């Protein structure tokens, strides 16, 4: 027999982990974290099947969600998200909303409008125009973009080290740190090591502690890379503002920017210089809270 209590289900599908929370009224009845293995956001049918199976497995027997909201990693355009939403509603027969995972940050912070900025392995910023249209900037991957994210910082650190090598400078703490992190013998070998990565973002990104360690050891090169990364993150917010997105509040999340005070401070300093009226704030709750808030708005 179907439980008559309305169930609001929120899902945050990250690059590696998926967090699902479900509320029956005001009672938190499900709070699960699972692997994101199998998530295929560029195939709407496969993505909807994956989400429907996740919901069916997580909820108690004979219970269906009353409303569902999903923040999906790599759900990059309104058309893509709309395709998953339509397929999901067809399968579940309930109101649903699908957005990019960065769009969960503003509602998770209890705000109605603002910018969500993520700097983890990669980097991206999202917001909405006054008419409700979503706008995303950044998030182009470690090879071409993601400045200020872990992988992008490693890429730029390698470039700085190579430039210093070409100038004839002795290796500093950044150079020795990267050489050790990639397990090579000398600076010229870093190029082949970076190019050998099969999962560029993950394999470059996990070496980012070497950049911050070098900065703490006094490397001017590392400190310049971090400062540039902070300015790049602020530039994402500036781009949104230029397109008409309200940027009074900027909610910041991501394992790199929140775990590394030097990067967060570089970002906030650059933002204060470019957009003095913007108010940055670190997200202190799991992003899935934003998905739950969006699901409740559908009831």
């Amino acid at each position: 027999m179907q439980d008559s209590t309305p169930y609001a289900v929120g899902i945050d599908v990250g690059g590696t982990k998926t967090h699902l929370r479900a509320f029956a009224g005001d009672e938190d009845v499900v709070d699960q974290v699972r692997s994101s293995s199998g998530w295929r956001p560029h195939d709407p049918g496969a993505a909807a099947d994956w989400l429907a199976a996740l919901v069916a497995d997580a909820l108690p027997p004979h219970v269906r969600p009353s409303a569902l909201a999903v923040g999906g990693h790599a759900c990059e355009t309104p058309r893509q998200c709309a395709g998953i939403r339509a397929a999901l509603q067809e399968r579940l027969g309930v109101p649903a909303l699908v957005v990019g995972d960065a769009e969960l940050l503003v509602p998770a912070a209890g705000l109605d409008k603002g910018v969500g900025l993520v700097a983890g392995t990669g980097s991206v910023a999202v917001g909405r125009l006054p008419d409700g249209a979503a706008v995303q900037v950044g998030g182009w991957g470690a090879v071409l973009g993601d400045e200020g994210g872990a992988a992008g910082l490693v890429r730029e650190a390698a470039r700085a080290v190579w430039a210093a090598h070409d100038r004839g400078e002795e290796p500093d703490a950044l150079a020795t740190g990267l050489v050790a992190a990639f397990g090579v013998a000398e600076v010229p070998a870093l190029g082949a090591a970076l190019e050998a990565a099969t999962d560029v973002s993950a394999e470059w990104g996990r070496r980012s502690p070497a950049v911050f360690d070098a900065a703490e050891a006094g490397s001017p090169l590392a400190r310049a890379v971090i400062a540039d990364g902070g300015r790049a993150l602020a530039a994402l917010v500036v781009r949104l503002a230029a397109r008409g997105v309200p940027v009074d509040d900027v909610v910041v999340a991501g394992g790199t920017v929140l775990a590394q005070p030097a990067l967060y401070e570089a970002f906030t300093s650059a933002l204060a210089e470019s957009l003095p009226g913007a108010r940055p704030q670190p997200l202190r709750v799991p992003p899935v809270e934003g998905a739950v808030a969006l699901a409740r708005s559908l009831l």
Side-chain angles (χ1 to χ4, degrees), residues 83-108:
I84 298 173
R85 173 180 175 269
L88 188 60
Q89 287 191 149
E90 180 181 316
R91 285 155 178 75
L92 296 180
V94 300
L97 179 64
V98 178
V99 297
D101 54 351
E103 285 203 58
L104 301 182
L105 306 188
V106 170

Side-chain angles (χ1 to χ4, degrees), residues 267-289:
F267 160 67
T268 55
S269 295
L271 186 66
E273 183 176 340
S274 301
L275 294 170
R279 298 181 293 266
Q281 59 174 291
L283 185 65
R284 299 300 189 189
V285 300
V288 73
E289 295 284 350

Side-chain angles (χ1 to χ4, degrees), residues 145-203:
D146 280 354
E147 292 86 353
L153 288 168
V154 169
R155 181 193 65 232
E156 295 309 308
R159 290 170 59 86
V161 164
W162 289 327
H165 181 271
D166 285 349
R167 292 192 296 268
E169 298 173 10
E170 288 296 317
D172 77 344
L174 181 59
T176 58
L178 286 180
V179 164
F182 280 94
V184 296
E186 56 185 346
V187 167
L190 284 171
L194 267 71
E195 290 180 351
T198 55
D199 184 342
V200 168
S201 291
E203 293 178 37

Side-chain angles (χ1 to χ4, degrees), residues 40-191:
R40 295 164 56 193
H42 296 285
D43 182 334
D49 287 340
W50 190 88
L51 290 165
L54 179 70
V55 170
D57 188 56
L59 293 186
H62 312 299
V63 168
R64 295 178 60 197
S66 304
L68 173 67
V70 180
H73 172 72
C75 193
E76 297 162 335
T77 69
R79 175 181 293 181
Q80 181 187 1
C81 291
I84 298 173
R85 173 180 175 269
L88 188 60
Q89 287 191 149
E90 180 181 316
R91 285 155 178 75
L92 296 180
V94 300
L97 179 64
V98 178
V99 297
D101 54 351
E103 285 203 58
L104 301 182
L105 306 188
V106 170
L111 300 171
D112 295 325
K113 61 182 179 179
V115 171
L117 172 71
V118 179
T121 301
S123 63
V124 68
V126 299
R128 287 188 176 268
L129 298 172
D131 66 3
V135 181
Q136 173 177 311
V137 296
W140 297 112
V143 173
L144 299 177
D146 280 354
E147 292 86 353
L153 288 168
V154 169
R155 181 193 65 232
E156 295 309 308
R159 290 170 59 86
V161 164
W162 289 327
H165 181 271
D166 285 349
R167 292 192 296 268
E169 298 173 10
E170 288 296 317
D172 77 344
L174 181 59
T176 58
L178 286 180
V179 164
F182 280 94
V184 296
E186 56 185 346
V187 167
L190 284 171

Side-chain angles (χ1 to χ4, degrees), residues 187-263:
V187 167
L190 284 171
L194 267 71
E195 290 180 351
T198 55
D199 184 342
V200 168
S201 291
E203 293 178 37
W204 292 4
R206 69 168 176 259
R207 270 79 175 204
S208 65
V211 181
F212 296 100
D213 290 346
E216 290 185 7
S219 166
L221 292 179
R223 290 175 177 174
V225 168
I226 294 168
D228 287 345
R231 283 190 288 269
L233 295 176
L236 296 177
V237 183
V238 171
R239 287 177 207 157
L240 289 175
R243 294 180 62 177
V245 172
V247 298
D248 299 306
D249 291 289
V250 181
V251 183
V252 184
T256 301
V257 69
L258 295 188
Q260 299 291 350
L263 181 61

